[in-house]
């Protein structure tokens, strides 16, 4: 497995692979890899001839008070893990090459980013869609794999690809969880042992809401009150938002006619965790 830092080199490899008729899959990550990321890679491996994983802590998607500096970074460990999963290439450019001094072009999806994390983290999704658009031009993938754990991110990228006629399949992989239900995240390492216990309440609340939904509850406020109760009962928790939106547009739903997505962002101590689930009649 090769680690590529040079942008032109990556682009030449992508182009050559395309010309040779190879199918390219890309899994964009910020590193600090866990089983959730690795599951995306396994999926990519099963679909592609050339599997590329990008590892890049993208400065332009972090707000000024967010954890860009302290975000965990360990390229050596990440490369051992990816190699074991059959990844062909890691693309890990230097921020100064990726965003040179005169950089000034951004991609902005307008509607699906307004609610949820887009409201709490101004500029975040502009940073995400811009970095992913650049990766698409550099790596030239046929398939790009994202986690449904970052539901709004997945939808924003899907929308960008649709609106800008990018010839790339965007796949949303289901959320991979710890045994007790906590969604795997690179940020879970920030949690103290007590906070880790409280963090379970996110997935427990989602499960409870799904159960109520399947029993016929369609009123968002009733579902969200129950979610808030369960989370607020735990120490160290503070809800940033808990909302139910349309699965495609992410517009808020007061009544769920058919399907909805219940999305949460919760501070547990000084760590902000997100999670979500679909509300629909069939089991996920
Ligand atoms: P990150 O490095 O955390 O930005 O994540 C890179 C990719 O992995 C994104 O598409 C995430 O949605 C996805 N991902 C992160 N955690 C999980 C998880 N627990 N299950 C599935 N996908 C995940």
């Amino acid at each position: 497995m090769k680690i590529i830092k040079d942008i032109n080199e990556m682009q030449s490899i992508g182009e050559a692979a395309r010309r040779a008729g190879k199918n390219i899959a890309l899994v964009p990550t910020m590193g600090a890899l866990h089983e959730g990321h690795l599951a995306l890679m396994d999926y990519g491996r099963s679909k592609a001839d050339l599997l590329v994983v990008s590892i890049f802590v993208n400065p332009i998607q972090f707000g000024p008070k967010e954890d860009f500096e302290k975000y965990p970074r360990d390229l050596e460990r990440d490369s051992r893990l990816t190699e074991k999963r059959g990844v062909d290439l890691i693309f890990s450019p230097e921020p100064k090459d990726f965003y040179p001094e005169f950089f000034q072009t951004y991609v902005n999806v307008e509607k699906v980013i307004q609610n949820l994390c887009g409201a709490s983290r101004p500029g975040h999704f502009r940073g995400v869609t811009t970095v992913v658009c650049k990766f698409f031009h550099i790596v030239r993938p046929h398939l790009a794999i994202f986690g449904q754990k970052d539901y709004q991110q997945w939808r924003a990228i899907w929308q960008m690809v649709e609106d800008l006629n990018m010839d790339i399949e965007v796949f949303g992989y289901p959320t991979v969880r710890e045994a007790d239900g906590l969604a795997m995240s690179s940020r879970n390492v920030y949690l103290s042992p007590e906070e880790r216990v409280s963090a379970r309440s996110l997935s427990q609340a989602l499960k409870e809401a799904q159960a109520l939904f399947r029993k016929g509850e369609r009123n968002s406020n009733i579902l969200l009150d129950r979610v808030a109760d369960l989370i607020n009962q735990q120490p160290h928790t503070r809800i940033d938002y808990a909302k139910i939106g349309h699965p495609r547009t992410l517009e808020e739903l007061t009544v769920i006619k058919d399907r909805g997505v219940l999305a949460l962002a919760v501070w547990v101590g000084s760590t902000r965790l997100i999670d979500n689930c679909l509300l629909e009649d069939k089991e996920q």
Side-chain angles (χ1 to χ4, degrees):
M1 190 191 64
K2 209 170 160 189
I3 300 179
I4 297 174
K5 291 196 168 281
D6 188 272
I7 293 172
N8 293 331
E9 186 185 359
M10 182 67 247
Q11 206 159 31
S12 309
I13 292 174
E15 275 303 332
R18 277 203 165 230
R19 275 200 304 275
K22 288 191 178 160
N23 231 305
I24 308 172
L26 170 67
V27 180
T29 80
M30 298 203 297
L33 301 177
H34 51 64
E35 280 300 318
H37 299 120
L38 298 173
L40 270 55
M41 294 171 205
D42 292 345
Y43 180 81
R45 185 69 287 168
S46 73
K47 297 281 172 196
D49 306 307
L50 182 71
L51 173 59
V52 181
V53 171
S54 60
I55 297 186
F56 183 64
V57 185
N58 177 32
I60 68 166
Q61 72 185 66
F62 287 78
K65 293 194 183 125
E66 294 183 355
D67 57 345
F68 175 68
E69 294 299 337
K70 80 162 185 177
Y71 197 85
R73 293 162 170 89
D74 189 346
L75 189 56
E76 236 176 69
R77 175 182 172 274
D78 289 345
S79 60
R80 279 198 303 276
L81 293 172
T82 48
E83 186 155 27
K84 276 197 205 142
R85 302 304 257 254
V87 171
D88 297 305
L89 294 176
I90 288 183
F91 176 51
S92 187
E94 295 294 343
K96 66 175 180 10
D97 301 333
F98 203 79
Y99 297 117
E101 213 183 322
F102 206 51
F103 183 85
Q104 56 190 291
T105 306
Y106 296 85
V107 181
N108 207 17
V109 171
E110 300 213 341
K111 288 188 185 151
V112 298
I113 60 116
Q114 274 172 12
N115 197 2
L116 311 177
C117 286
S120 302
R121 302 181 69 188
H124 169 68
F125 286 114
R126 181 177 89 140
V128 169
T129 41
T130 300
V131 76
V132 170
C133 180
K134 278 171 69 78
F135 280 144
F136 285 175
H137 285 115
I138 296 166
V139 178
R140 310 279 286 111
H142 299 85
L143 166 69
I145 304 152
F146 296 87
Q148 289 188 25
K149 190 218 158 218
D150 298 275
Y151 190 93
Q152 193 173 19
Q153 167 173 283
W154 169 47
R155 297 317 307 168
I157 289 158
W158 188 93
Q159 195 67 48
M160 170 182 80
V161 165
E162 173 81 4
D163 290 348
L164 299 183
N165 306 92
M166 296 177 171
D167 187 15
I168 297 171
E169 182 193 344
V170 175
F171 183 77
Y173 193 90
T175 302
V176 179
R177 298 178 179 282
E178 302 285 357
D180 65 358
L182 177 68
M184 288 189 183
S185 164
S186 305
R187 292 190 166 98
N188 291 348
V189 297
Y190 301 150
L191 299 170
S192 71
E194 300 95 67
E195 289 166 354
R196 174 67 186 74
V197 173
S198 293
R200 281 190 215 151
S201 61
L202 278 77
S203 59
Q204 285 167 348
L206 294 176
K207 273 205 146 168
E208 171 80 10
Q210 269 178 328
L212 289 174
F213 180 84
R214 287 193 189 121
K215 281 188 201 145
E217 185 55 70
R218 294 292 183 268
N219 181 319
S220 293
N221 281 337
I222 293 177
L223 294 168
L224 292 172
D225 283 349
R226 182 72 188 123
V227 163
D229 273 353
L230 286 168
I231 293 172
N232 290 333
Q233 275 167 25
Q234 296 300 316
H236 314 294
T237 58
R238 181 168 60 81
I239 296 175
D240 175 5
Y241 67 75
K243 291 182 182 174
I244 296 172
H246 184 280
R248 186 174 156 150
T249 65
L250 297 184
E251 275 163 351
E252 254 172 283
L253 300 174
T254 45
V255 176
I256 310 145
K257 286 206 190 85
D258 180 17
R259 296 164 78 227
V261 57
L262 167 49
L264 298 175
V266 178
W267 289 96
V268 182
S270 56
T271 306
R272 185 174 174 280
L273 301 178
I274 58 170
D275 202 349
N276 69 80
C277 70
L278 282 177
L279 298 173
E280 56 185 354
D281 276 319
K282 71 174 173 50
E283 292 278 340
Q284 278 182 64

